[in-house]
């Protein structure tokens, strides 16, 4: 048997080397294998690299990465023997074929030769009659079925055969994936079938991320329960799954929020790779999910620190204007922009010192935050000038009442130093349909407060013309 195997192996090796020499660098291994794939004397061939990944051969089925390890396991070769074979393949050099004589006791005969100047190994093998591959068993089973049915209608036999082959294909495909996934018990893995449009996670997602039990998900069906994903991220997930493969086949920084059993959201990062079929059609998207809650929290803290005025704790000018601009993007946005200036602040600094001046600024922001709502935006423009955008407010009377409230709180305050403020407020969008014009209207309203005696509020509701004098 060894002579038959080595003869067929040498013949196949010569054909591949001749083909590669003729084609040069453009030689395709799939085409090379097609030349020698015919089963002569029940000898099979396949091409793999030194890592054991099958590059071309009958074992490379279902368009997923197949390995020598997987093939040997399917014919019940022991783990110890597999490890020795993998070591031999990894260290195989160009030259004489290597005969795996240690497998003969299992009725398996293998020979391997490395191609010159390529990370490519030709593996030739022979299975005795005691071992049959899965495909042969299936064909023989169908033939036995045809004989047993004694001439049933051919169309019925074809339908039954196709159904049976499809079921076995899915079973074998699922087993191969299960073998891979089972190696990562401490990692949450996911699989998206691009053809069936179904998404599944490994069961340990419930323990590692504290989620409720999750079954198979069909993201694009209307009645799909996507409750474990933050509502703002659902469309993001659907967009990823629907466009994967359009621009790139790998995803390494896709971050969304998952909801745990307690209703809290945690940031997670998806990393994955698309597996394509022989014709380039997307087949399955496989990857893993990792918890990045701590990383995102630290990043958010840094962003917040960069947007806060270090002295007062109010938003700095750039951040305040950006947040107000975001609110204005909503066509239903209504509100009032307040401009606030400390009266005679230079006198406070000159007579009491800059430390007391800083304390006045800090106390003012504290009062503004305590008396405006949480969703209102409080920012420092610079020096002793501040802005507040009071959202969801339509009536000038409400804005004027809020300004008067702030003035009363300051008047009753026992904190040192004592000071007063002048306040101007302008209605959005009536007094200005963009931030720049609204700012000018609020600044003019504050100027009116200063001019008419200070320690007061003036509201521009957009119905009166502004005096150009300032």
């Amino acid at each position: 048997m060894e002579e038959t195997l080595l003869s067929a192996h040498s013949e196949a090796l010569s054909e591949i080397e001749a083909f590669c020499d003729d084609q040069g660098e453009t030689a395709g291994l799939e085409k090379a294998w097609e030349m020698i794939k015919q089963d002569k004397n029940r000898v099979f061939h396949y091409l793999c690299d030194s890592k054991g990944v099958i590059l071309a051969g009958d074992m490379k089925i279902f368009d997923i990465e197949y390995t020598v390890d997987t093939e040997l396991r399917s014919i019940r070769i022991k783990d110890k023997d597999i490890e020795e074979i993998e070591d031999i393949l990894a260290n195989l050099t160009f030259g004489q074929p290597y005969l795996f004589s240690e497998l003969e006791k299992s009725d398996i005969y293998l020979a391997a030769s490395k191609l010159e100047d390529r990370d490519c190994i030709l593996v030739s093998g022979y299975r005795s009659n005691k071992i049959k591959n899965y495909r042969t068993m299936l064909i023989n089973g169908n033939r036995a079925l045809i004989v047993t049915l004694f001439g049933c209608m051919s169309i019925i036999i074809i339908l039954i055969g196709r159904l049976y082959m499809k079921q076995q294909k899915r079973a074998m495909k699922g087993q191969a994936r299960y073998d891979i996934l089972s190696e990562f018990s401490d990692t949450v893995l996911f699989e998206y079938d691009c053809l069936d449009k179904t998404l599944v996670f490994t069961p340990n997602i419930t323990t590692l991320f504290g989620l409720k039990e999750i079954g198979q998900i069909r993201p694009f069906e209307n009645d799909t329960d996507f409750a474990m994903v933050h509502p703002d991220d659902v469309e993001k997930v659907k967009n990823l799954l629907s466009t994967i493969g359009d621009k790139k086949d790998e995803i390494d920084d896709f971050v969304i929020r998952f909801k745990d059993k307690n209703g809290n959201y945690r940031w997670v990062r998806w990393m994955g790779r698309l597996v394509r079929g022989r014709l380039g059609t997307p087949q399955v998207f496989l990857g893993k999910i990792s918890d990045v809650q701590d990383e995102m929290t630290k990043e958010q803290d840094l962003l917040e620190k960069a947007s806060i005025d270090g002295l007062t704790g109010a938003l700095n000018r750039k951040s305040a204007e950006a947040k107000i601009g975001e609110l204005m993007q909503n066509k239903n946005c209504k509100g009032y922009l307040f401009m606030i200036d400390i009266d005679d602040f230079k006198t406070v600094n000159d007579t009491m010192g800059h430390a007391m001046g800083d304390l006045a600024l800090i106390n003012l922001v504290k009062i503004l935050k305590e008396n405006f709502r949480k969703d209102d935006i409080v920012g420092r423009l610079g020096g002793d000038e501040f802005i507040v955008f009071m959202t969801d407010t339509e009536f000038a009377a409400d804005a004027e009442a809020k300004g008067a409230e702030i003035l009363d709180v300051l008047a009753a305050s026992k904190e040192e130093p004592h000071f007063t403020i002048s306040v101007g407020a302008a209605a959005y969008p009536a007094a200005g349909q963009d931030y720049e014009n609204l700012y000018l209207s609020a600044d003019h309203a504050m100027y009116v407060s200063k001019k008419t005696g200070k320690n007061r509020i003036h509201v521009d509701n957009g119905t009166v013309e502004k005096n150009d004098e300032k």
Side-chain angles (χ1 to χ4, degrees), residues 8 15 27 37 43 116 123 140 147 193 201 211 218 223 237 253 290 323 325-326 335 345 359 373 386-387 418 465 469:
E15 292 182 20
K37 73 174 183 177
V43 175
E116 187 176 10
V123 178
N140 290 340
V147 173
D193 191 316
F201 302 92
L211 303 180
R218 295 185 175 274
D223 58 349
V237 174
D253 194 21
S290 56
K323 285 184 176 293
E326 289 177 7
F345 183 67
L359 186 58
R373 296 165 299 185
F386 297 85
I387 57 172
H418 294 291
E465 294 185 3
E469 179 187 359

Side-chain angles (χ1 to χ4, degrees), residues 225-441:
D225 182 8
F226 237 146
M228 87 285 191
V229 178
H230 192 286
D232 293 344
D233 295 335
V234 171
E235 286 302 318
K236 187 177 178 181
V237 174
K238 290 182 178 180
N239 184 62
L240 168 71
L241 298 178
S242 64
T243 60
I244 183 67
D246 290 350
K247 296 181 180 179
K248 58 182 180 178
D249 289 0
E250 294 188 10
I251 301 296
D252 57 9
D253 194 21
F254 179 75
V255 181
I256 63 168
R257 288 158 288 183
F258 272 174
K259 183 167 67 174
D260 61 24
K261 294 178 181 178
N262 301 319
N264 301 316
Y265 287 99
R266 297 188 66 81
W267 288 99
V268 297
R269 175 178 287 119
W270 295 35
M271 300 177 66
R273 186 180 67 179
L274 179 67
V275 179
R276 294 182 179 272
R278 292 184 183 274
L279 299 178
T281 305
Q283 298 289 311
V284 62
F285 182 43
L286 297 171
K288 70 175 183 177
I289 299 175
S290 56
D291 189 316
V292 291
Q293 177 64 27
D294 293 341
E295 177 185 335
M296 294 299 292
T297 299
K298 291 179 181 178
E299 184 177 329
Q300 188 63 34
D301 289 343
L302 290 175
L303 288 175
E304 289 182 0
K305 288 179 181 179
S307 65
I308 298 298
D309 175 57
L311 175 65
T312 64
L315 291 174
N316 58 36
R317 181 173 193 145
K318 182 177 180 181
S319 298
E321 291 178 349
K323 285 184 176 293
I324 295 171
E326 289 177 7
L327 291 176
M328 288 180 173
Q329 297 301 314
N330 186 339
K331 63 180 181 180
N332 296 321
C333 176
K334 295 182 183 299
Y336 277 82
L337 181 67
F338 288 75
M339 290 285 295
I340 301 168
D341 182 87
I342 295 180
D343 296 328
D344 304 315
F345 183 67
K346 185 176 183 303
T347 302
V348 174
N349 276 331
D350 291 344
T351 58
M352 299 184 182
H354 287 282
M356 292 300 287
D358 290 346
L359 186 58
L361 300 175
I362 294 170
N363 289 340
L364 175 58
V365 170
K366 180 174 179 290
I367 290 172
L368 293 176
K369 288 185 174 182
E370 289 176 348
N371 290 275
F372 279 95
R373 296 165 299 185
K374 183 178 180 180
D375 292 337
D376 296 334
I377 297 172
V378 178
R380 181 185 180 189
L381 297 182
D384 63 324
E385 289 189 331
F386 297 85
I387 57 172
V388 179
F389 189 70
M390 188 166 72
T391 62
D392 299 324
T393 304
E394 297 186 50
F395 303 109
D398 294 334
E400 189 166 355
K402 178 58 67 176
E405 177 185 340
I406 301 299
L407 294 173
D408 291 342
V409 170
L410 274 173
S413 175
K414 296 181 180 180
E415 296 285 343
E416 293 289 343
H418 294 291
F419 60 89
T420 62
I421 60 174
S422 295
V423 183
Y428 177 78
Q433 296 187 354
D434 54 42
Y435 178 80
E436 183 178 354
N437 286 310
L438 186 65
Y439 172 87
L440 293 175
S441 295

Side-chain angles (χ1 to χ4, degrees), residues 71-250:
E71 171 59 16
L72 294 176
R73 288 180 188 277
S74 70
I75 55 176
R76 302 185 182 279
I77 300 300
K78 295 181 179 179
D79 290 346
K80 180 180 179 181
D81 292 333
I82 292 176
E83 291 178 2
E84 292 178 359
I85 293 171
E86 289 179 331
D87 288 340
I88 291 170
L89 292 177
N91 296 288
L92 193 63
T93 58
F94 174 74
Q96 292 295 321
Y98 185 93
L99 187 65
F100 296 88
S101 57
E102 61 272 16
L103 296 180
E104 293 177 5
K105 59 182 179 293
S106 302
D107 295 303
I108 301 295
Y109 301 84
L110 288 180
S113 294
K114 186 167 185 178
L115 273 67
E116 187 176 10
D117 299 326
R118 281 176 177 266
D119 184 19
C120 181
I121 299 171
L122 171 65
V123 178
S124 302
Y126 169 82
R127 297 186 181 92
S128 70
N129 289 331
K130 296 180 181 180
I131 298 179
K132 299 179 181 180
N133 62 32
Y134 194 82
R135 185 174 297 176
T136 302
M137 293 175 62
L138 184 57
I139 294 173
N140 290 340
N142 283 342
R143 288 175 179 170
L145 180 61
I146 294 172
V147 173
T148 303
L149 292 177
F150 294 106
C152 288
M153 295 177 61
S154 58
I155 186 64
I156 297 177
I157 295 176
I158 293 174
L159 291 176
I160 292 176
R162 287 183 177 178
L163 177 61
Y164 188 65
M165 290 182 68
K166 184 176 182 181
Q167 290 173 341
Q168 296 305 316
K169 178 179 176 180
R170 286 188 175 181
M172 198 168 185
K173 179 180 177 181
Q175 182 62 41
R177 287 175 178 161
Y178 178 81
D179 291 341
I180 297 173
L181 299 180
S182 62
E183 298 177 11
F184 302 95
S185 59
D186 60 343
T187 303
V188 174
L189 302 175
F190 68 87
E191 172 186 331
Y192 177 69
D193 191 316
C194 301
L195 301 178
D196 291 341
K197 298 188 182 304
T198 55
L199 176 66
V200 295
F201 302 92
T202 48
N204 57 349
I205 190 172
T206 59
T207 54
L208 293 183
F209 291 152
L211 303 180
K212 296 180 181 178
E213 185 175 351
I214 300 174
Q216 187 182 77
I217 297 174
R218 295 185 175 274
F220 300 102
E221 293 187 358
N222 294 331
D223 58 349
T224 295
D225 182 8
F226 237 146
M228 87 285 191
V229 178
H230 192 286
D232 293 344
D233 295 335
V234 171
E235 286 302 318
K236 187 177 178 181
V237 174
K238 290 182 178 180
N239 184 62
L240 168 71
L241 298 178
S242 64
T243 60
I244 183 67
D246 290 350
K247 296 181 180 179
K248 58 182 180 178
D249 289 0
E250 294 188 10

